[in-house]
Amino acid sequence: MLSESIALNPLDPKEMIHTFGVVGIWVILFAETGLLVGFFFPGDSLLFLAGVASSSVADAIFGAGTRLNLVALLIGGPLCAIAGAQFGHWLGSRYGRRMFERPNSRLFKREYVEKAEYYFQKFGPAKAVVLARFIPIVRTFLNPVAGVLGMPARQFFLWNVVGAILWVDGILLVGYLLAAQIYNAIGDKIDRYILPVVALVILISVLPIFFEFLRDRRARKRGEAVTVVAAASGAGAVDALRREAEGDDDPGHGRRGQHRR
């Protein structure tokens, strides 16, 4: 009785799936990517468990009548994520930095915006929009930041579509394809293993960022090596010219050469 009277926990993806179904997932995807207050929603774990809930073992794990429509998720999910991000971009371009001029609170912290700006500046607009989808909190704040920093709406839309499809459908399909193996391993006790599952999803999510950092670091090292070689070559050339100039200024230089002949 007590458990039934407890209010819905918005951070529990299993409870949200069981309560709201496909439409609820659509709404959450829009809110997490388009509304600044939606950054706390568990997007990655929600998508993963939604993929599990659309598989043949959904009723066995979540309860009878819980199975979700995979096609609706694969089509409607990216559309809602695209619409949310585009709305966030519009808010940023419409209202500018005053959107973020608020004191830190339990829900909002200035560092969220600074982190989004960091990724935008580090990877450039296109990569940042795609990669931000896989980073919790950043995927919420980067969209208005892109609008504030003047990224054209059409360019943002193109990479918004790419990022939304990769993020939403990618994680959905991972959950869907692994559902049977998960059920064979843990049965209907997924609640006990939700943290490891979420950790796995987060690990998968940050892999693109990890590889991008490696590429950036290698490129920076190559650039530093080229700079060092160029500096060394330049220093050698200057030293050679200086020695030649000193030789020309030496009055005995020519006579020594004549004596050898």
Side-chain angles (χ1 to χ4, degrees):
M1 292 291 292
L2 178 62
S3 64
E4 291 176 359
S5 65
I6 296 176
L8 173 68
N9 179 6
L11 300 181
D12 185 345
K14 181 181 176 182
E15 188 175 347
M16 296 171 73
I17 290 172
H18 190 78
T19 303
F20 296 115
V22 172
V23 175
I25 294 171
W26 290 347
V27 172
I28 291 168
L29 290 175
F30 178 88
E32 187 180 6
T33 56
L35 306 178
L36 295 183
V37 296
F39 67 89
F40 60 85
F41 284 119
D44 296 321
S45 55
L46 178 67
L47 287 171
F48 184 86
L49 291 181
V52 175
S54 64
S55 69
S56 58
V57 297
D59 290 346
I61 293 178
F62 295 97
T66 309
R67 186 171 183 179
L68 305 179
N69 188 313
L70 179 62
V71 176
L73 289 171
L74 291 175
I75 297 176
L79 290 177
C80 291
I82 291 167
Q86 207 68 33
F87 180 68
H89 178 273
W90 177 82
L91 289 176
S93 61
R94 174 69 175 81
Y95 295 103
R97 287 195 175 273
R98 65 179 181 271
M99 287 183 59
F100 309 127
E101 293 175 354
R102 63 178 75 176
N104 285 342
S105 65
R106 298 181 68 177
L107 290 179
F108 177 84
K109 296 187 183 303
R110 177 67 194 175
E111 65 185 76
Y112 299 159
V113 180
E114 293 172 350
K115 186 178 294 186
E117 289 181 336
Y118 167 78
Y119 282 104
F120 193 88
Q121 300 291 350
K122 181 176 181 61
F123 296 116
K127 286 184 180 179
V129 172
V130 175
L131 294 176
R133 289 289 189 177
F134 297 88
I135 310 174
I137 298 179
V138 174
R139 63 172 158 259
T140 301
F141 286 93
L142 187 129
N143 304 318
V145 164
V148 170
L149 297 180
M151 184 175 183
R154 290 185 179 180
Q155 182 188 16
F156 179 84
F157 177 75
L158 171 63
W159 297 109
N160 177 21
V161 171
V162 173
I165 293 174
L166 289 175
W167 177 54
V168 176
D169 287 353
I171 297 182
L172 279 172
L173 290 174
V174 169
Y176 175 80
L177 295 174
L178 294 180
Q181 289 85 339
I182 292 173
Y183 181 70
N184 291 335
I186 64 177
D188 61 352
K189 305 299 182 183
I190 197 169
D191 284 337
R192 299 181 182 178
Y193 300 90
I194 187 64
L195 289 179
V197 169
V198 172
L200 175 63
V201 172
I202 293 175
L203 176 62
I204 295 172
S205 298
V206 301
L207 281 179
I209 311 300
F210 175 74
F211 291 133
E212 191 63 35
F213 270 117
L214 283 182
R215 282 183 53 189
D216 183 70
R217 185 177 180 183
R218 290 173 181 172
R220 188 167 58 252
K221 285 185 176 180
R222 287 196 297 268
E224 291 174 353
V226 170
T227 301
V228 169
V229 171
S233 300
V238 170
D239 189 53
L241 289 173
R242 186 173 63 249
R243 288 198 302 269
E244 183 177 349
E246 291 173 353
D248 290 341
D249 292 339
D250 186 355
H253 178 75
R255 288 194 298 270
R256 283 196 298 269
Q258 291 175 357
H259 179 74
R260 282 195 296 270
R261 287 195 299 271

